[in-house]
């Protein structure tokens, strides 16, 4: 029950924040309500693929992005530590 509410809360947050962002980026196209409906329908369509199919489709992109992201995060952490050490 708690997991269901947590997932629902996350989904609602994503739909509303995406709709808000798109209304701000493209004010002359669709209304907030229309964007929210579009994102709900899009999410519903993607969810019907099933988790294993979604992972299968996203795996090539993730395998490309993860090796690029890990050193970037490590570099940012090292820079933060160095900046803190040098500022003292």
């Amino acid at each position: 029950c708690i997991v269901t509410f947590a997932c629902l809360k996350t989904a609602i947050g994503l739909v509303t924040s995406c709709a808000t962002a798109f209304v701000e980026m493209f004010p002359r196209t669709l209304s907030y309500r229309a964007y929210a409906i579009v994102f709900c329908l899009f999410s519903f369509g993607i969810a019907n693929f099933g988790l294993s199919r979604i992972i299968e489709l996203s795996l090539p992109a993730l395998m490309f992005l993860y090796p690029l992201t890990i050193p970037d995060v490590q570099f940012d952490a090292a820079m933060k530590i160095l900046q803190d050490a040098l500022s003292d």
Side-chain angles (χ1 to χ4, degrees):
C1 185
I2 291 175
V3 174
T4 301
F5 285 123
C7 290
L8 185 61
K9 181 179 176 181
T10 302
I12 292 169
L14 286 171
V15 167
T16 57
S17 63
C18 287
T20 301
F22 272 69
V23 165
E24 290 174 3
M25 287 190 299
F26 309 108
R28 296 187 186 125
T29 55
L30 299 174
S31 67
Y32 172 84
R33 181 183 172 117
Y35 274 122
I37 291 170
V38 166
F39 286 123
C40 284
L41 293 174
F42 178 76
S43 299
F44 180 74
I46 295 294
N48 282 324
F49 282 127
L51 183 59
S52 59
R53 182 74 175 139
I54 294 169
I55 292 172
E56 181 183 319
L57 292 172
S58 65
L59 200 57
L62 295 176
M63 294 300 285
F64 175 75
L65 291 174
Y66 282 157
L68 298 174
T69 306
I70 292 170
D72 187 43
V73 170
Q74 291 172 338
F75 179 74
D76 287 344
M79 289 300 294
K80 176 70 174 158
I81 291 169
L82 287 173
Q83 287 175 347
D84 290 344
L86 293 175
S87 66
D88 290 338

